[in-house]
Amino acid sequence: MASQTALVALALLLLVGCAKPMRDDLYVLMPDKDGKTGVLSVESGGQQTVLDKPFASARVTEPGRVAAGAVTEQEARQAFGAALDAQPARPASFLLYFLEGRDDLTPDSRQLLGRIVDEIARRPAPEIVVIGHTDRVGAVPFNDALSLRRAERVRDELVKVGIVADRIRVEGRGEREPLVPTADEVAEPRNRRVEINVR
């Protein structure tokens, strides 16, 4: 009798040991900072559900079983908080505008520099790309040189407030990439700009 009980216990142990572990995979479609989302398709064992709204969710507890639902923002933060906190900051872009034919910032753009510096300071290892542009007034060689001077001027302003120069790449594109397409020799203030991309 004792050996029968031992065999039953051993059989139960083997069954438990061979049993597949429980699955509980949760997928949540997270919105970006503007509340927009893409689309996420979750598939398991031939069953599929499409998530296309903020905080839409799908849970897979066994192959072939996909349960659609939704979670609150708080529930998503609770489930994925550590992963969300570990994500790198999203790239940020800024536009600074210049006076016609010069590498001097407009007064409004000069005030925006502080916000750009704050954004850069939030990143542990920022990569900064500064790209200068011009409108179509003037000769192409002049505009090429002016666009580069504008980018270098912004780099110099950032370095003055403590941003490491090695983290900043500068480029000049002249009049080749207008924000507002115009005919030649048209003065367009929105094309006299520097784009700053921070990653």
Side-chain angles (χ1 to χ4, degrees):
M1 185 76 172
S3 66
Q4 255 184 344
T5 305
L7 281 174
V8 170
L10 182 59
L12 283 172
L13 239 142
L14 286 172
L15 280 173
V16 169
C18 293
K20 290 183 181 175
M22 275 297 286
R23 229 179 123 164
D24 191 12
D25 299 337
L26 176 64
Y27 302 86
V28 177
L29 186 60
M30 302 295 288
D32 66 15
K33 65 181 178 182
D34 298 325
K36 297 176 185 167
T37 61
V39 176
L40 175 64
S41 175
V42 179
E43 185 175 339
S44 177
Q47 188 180 7
Q48 177 186 16
T49 190
V50 175
L51 310 179
D52 59 0
K53 292 183 176 41
F55 302 106
S57 69
R59 193 175 288 276
V60 178
T61 54
E62 60 185 64
R65 183 170 178 188
V66 181
V71 297
T72 65
E73 184 174 354
Q74 184 178 6
E75 290 168 332
R77 167 85 25 210
Q78 204 169 16
F80 304 110
L84 292 170
D85 292 342
Q87 287 184 321
R90 293 176 186 227
S93 296
F94 302 91
L95 290 176
L96 297 176
Y97 296 98
F98 289 79
L99 300 176
E100 186 173 359
R102 297 165 50 187
D103 64 356
D104 297 317
L105 289 162
T106 64
D108 288 344
S109 290
R110 183 157 286 290
Q111 290 180 354
L112 183 59
L113 272 174
R115 191 169 144 222
I116 296 167
V117 170
D118 290 345
E119 180 63 37
I120 293 168
R122 279 197 287 274
R123 298 165 189 265
E127 294 175 33
I128 306 147
V129 180
V130 180
I131 304 170
H133 300 272
T134 67
D135 60 19
R136 298 198 62 203
V137 174
V140 169
F142 174 82
N143 284 336
D144 285 346
L146 177 58
S147 68
L148 186 57
R149 278 200 324 272
R150 287 174 173 168
E152 290 169 340
R153 177 72 178 264
V154 170
R155 178 201 54 211
D156 294 346
E157 293 292 329
L158 294 173
V159 169
K160 274 186 207 173
V161 295
I163 307 300
V164 178
D166 291 349
R167 297 230 165 252
I168 306 169
R169 188 176 87 220
V170 296
E171 299 174 13
R173 302 274 171 84
E175 62 183 57
R176 290 173 192 80
E177 298 174 7
L179 200 60
V180 179
T182 67
D184 198 24
E185 298 304 321
V186 172
E188 173 51 65
R190 290 171 290 178
N191 289 338
R192 299 192 294 264
R193 72 198 189 282
V194 158
E195 297 173 20
I196 302 173
N197 298 304
V198 182
R199 293 190 294 269

